[in-house]
Amino acid sequence: MPEKGAPRIRRRTWLVAALAVTLLAASSVTWFAVSRAEEREDVLDANRALVARGCAGLLREELYSSVPDDERGVLDAYGTLLQPGQESRALLDCTVAWGADGGASEADVRAKVRAEAVPDRTSPGGVTGDFGLPLPSTATGSTGAADPWHTGPVATSSLLVDCPKGLDGRGRSVRDLLVSVNLPTGSDGADEGYDDYDDYDDDVPKAERLAAARTAAKVANWVSRKQGCGSEPLRTEPGAAPAKAPELCAWLSPKGLGSTPGKWSFDGNDSVYNRRAGACGGQWDDTAGSPGHLTVKAAGAESWSGVLANGAYEDYADDLMVPDPKDSGLNAPADKPVTVEQSGDDPQLALWARSECAAGPTYHRVTVTPEFDFDYGLEDGKVVLQPKDQRRLSQRVHTVLDRYLAAPDGWPRRSHCRKTTIVGEVAEWRERD
């Protein structure tokens, strides 16, 4: 017969065992949590060290405080300044990335900087625009947004800097330094289904674009110091902008162009002189009336100098919008009528010219945009340009070029342009054979 105290003893034994198991489980959870926290701290420290030492430390300011603590970063870096014994076109090419089992090229989040010498040409589209930081007249840049890796928008910046003492190691002396920067942003374009530049461009905040511009300026300054190439130090923080040149586009007037009577607007014209590129434009902007048939409703002028000159010409050539010496009908008014069909676009008559200017060989492109009244034609959606009409439009685009070249405060005079020659005309309403 069991003793009276046995059930109580067994109950106490069970309670002690249960308590021990509970304490062991709790300690295991605590140990796991502490271990996990230490692991995350180690990952965070490693990632911060990666940012601090990688890419010459040029990304530290923008990335150090935001590196993840759950994924170890990877670094891909090469270039003549990082590893002098390694051949590379780039002076600096560096990528820091996270979320990549297979390396930086497969990462979900990437920051990239690249600096390279430009021997011949570069497209002006990437380096002309709003840079966000004050630049000297010898440099030009822009910021924006892109999705180069199809993982979501990044803030971008491009910067073209003059190095008057030249960049070494290029096989021949080159004085143009091109810097490009991609920085991760808070936008998640992959989830939003963005499919082109305009969709996500406005979703990258100004502050993140400014960070990309600041990084580009730091990269340019670093390369310049390492190379001793003589470029003017760039500011890396916002401040007083260069003095404006309000008369830079004052030459552009609709008077004498056979323009539509009424108001014109001149928004977005250059107000700061840059020796590499210039742009002026105006358009009819009067809701009280309507443009008359073949009157000029818009006119403008652009110039690109140095490595931007060939880059701009090549960009237009890719779209068959440069003069073709083999087709006189594209270079001068034709001696026969031309039928223009309605397309929804506003075709221009462009006149190309070439000069020698302060920053090197230069292309100028001036344009007039005539109004086509397709109700005026003999057939719906079609009008006929007679030879006299074509000659009249040609005279007007030549008038724009003459004014542009002669303006005392205009870009060509400020850039000391000389030896100007006409390259030819391109009427966008004419089709190539």
Side-chain angles (χ1 to χ4, degrees):
M1 183 174 181
E3 299 179 5
K4 292 183 179 180
R8 183 177 298 175
I9 292 173
R10 286 195 296 270
R11 191 181 304 117
R12 287 178 180 172
T13 301
W14 181 85
L15 288 174
V16 170
L19 179 60
V21 170
T22 302
L23 290 174
L24 179 61
S27 63
S28 297
V29 171
T30 301
W31 174 86
F32 179 79
V34 171
S35 177
R36 179 60 176 157
E38 290 178 348
E39 181 182 346
R40 294 177 76 96
E41 189 69 26
D42 289 343
V43 171
L44 181 63
D45 289 343
N47 285 342
R48 286 180 171 173
L50 186 71
V51 169
R53 75 171 187 273
C55 306
L58 296 167
L59 293 174
R60 178 186 176 96
E61 182 179 355
E62 308 304 340
L63 298 182
Y64 190 81
S65 63
S66 61
V67 296
D69 61 1
D70 58 347
E71 294 179 291
R72 288 187 178 271
V74 293
L75 173 68
D76 280 353
Y78 63 90
T80 55
L81 293 185
L82 287 178
Q83 301 177 20
Q86 182 179 3
E87 288 190 13
S88 168
R89 181 187 173 197
L91 297 165
L92 170 65
D93 194 313
C94 184
T95 302
V96 179
W98 289 273
D101 293 335
S105 63
E106 299 179 12
D108 296 328
V109 179
R110 274 170 273 189
K112 180 179 179 65
V113 296
R114 180 178 173 89
E116 60 187 297
V118 182
D120 298 309
R121 68 196 65 191
T122 189
S123 174
V127 294
T128 53
D130 181 13
F131 187 65
L133 295 173
L135 290 174
S137 64
T138 54
T140 182
S142 68
T143 60
D147 188 8
W149 302 296
H150 306 291
T151 56
V154 297
T156 67
S157 179
S158 296
L159 180 62
L160 186 64
V161 178
D162 182 46
C163 291
K165 294 183 180 179
L167 295 163
D168 296 332
R170 304 296 92 200
R172 63 183 176 88
S173 181
V174 175
R175 61 181 293 170
D176 293 287
L177 172 66
L178 178 63
V179 176
S180 58
V181 173
N182 292 331
L183 294 182
T185 74
S187 302
D188 190 359
D191 291 341
E192 297 296 330
Y194 297 120
D195 57 7
D196 61 48
Y197 182 93
D198 291 332
D199 282 336
Y200 52 75
D201 186 50
D202 292 337
D203 289 342
V204 176
K206 182 179 180 180
E208 294 180 347
R209 297 167 189 256
L210 183 61
R214 183 166 51 239
T215 301
K218 288 192 298 183
V219 171
N221 288 340
W222 182 79
V223 171
S224 178
R225 287 195 303 270
K226 289 285 186 178
Q227 289 269 303
C229 73
S231 67
E232 185 175 346
L234 304 180
R235 297 179 56 170
T236 58
E237 295 295 337
K244 291 187 176 182
E247 301 302 315
L248 200 57
C249 296
W251 62 270
L252 182 54
S253 168
K255 294 181 179 179
L257 294 181
S259 62
T260 298
K263 298 178 181 178
W264 275 49
S265 62
F266 302 93
D267 299 334
N269 285 338
D270 285 347
S271 60
V272 176
Y273 170 71
N274 185 285
R275 69 198 297 260
R276 290 182 176 272
C280 295
Q283 56 280 327
W284 179 81
D285 185 20
D286 190 347
T287 58
S290 61
H293 180 59
L294 295 187
T295 58
V296 173
K297 64 178 182 179
E302 292 181 275
S303 294
W304 306 274
S305 206
V307 293
L308 294 183
N310 286 334
Y313 198 81
E314 191 172 83
D315 286 346
Y316 278 94
D318 289 341
D319 294 326
L320 301 179
M321 294 172 63
V322 298
D324 183 354
K326 297 179 182 179
D327 185 351
S328 61
L330 288 172
N331 290 312
D335 58 359
K336 60 183 179 180
V338 175
T339 300
V340 181
E341 296 189 17
Q342 189 173 12
S343 64
D345 298 326
D346 286 328
Q348 299 175 326
L349 175 62
L351 174 63
W352 287 83
R354 189 164 42 207
S355 298
E356 289 292 330
C357 304
T362 300
Y363 275 111
H364 311 287
R365 180 178 183 267
V366 300
T367 60
V368 293
T369 305
E371 170 68 12
F372 291 105
D373 185 354
F374 289 99
D375 294 332
Y376 177 87
L378 298 178
E379 298 182 50
D380 288 342
K382 294 182 180 180
V383 296
V384 177
L385 282 180
Q386 298 296 335
K388 64 177 182 180
D389 299 323
Q390 298 172 64
R391 287 192 294 271
R392 187 179 302 115
L393 291 174
S394 178
Q395 292 170 356
R396 289 167 182 169
V397 77
H398 277 264
T399 297
V400 175
L401 178 63
D402 292 342
R403 291 181 182 177
Y404 183 49
L405 295 175
D409 296 313
W411 190 92
R413 284 290 185 90
R414 287 173 182 261
S415 297
H416 307 290
C417 294
R418 62 197 186 281
K419 299 181 180 179
T420 300
T421 58
I422 300 297
V423 178
E425 293 180 12
V426 179
E428 292 181 3
W429 52 82
R430 292 179 59 84
E431 294 184 357
R432 290 188 187 272
D433 296 331

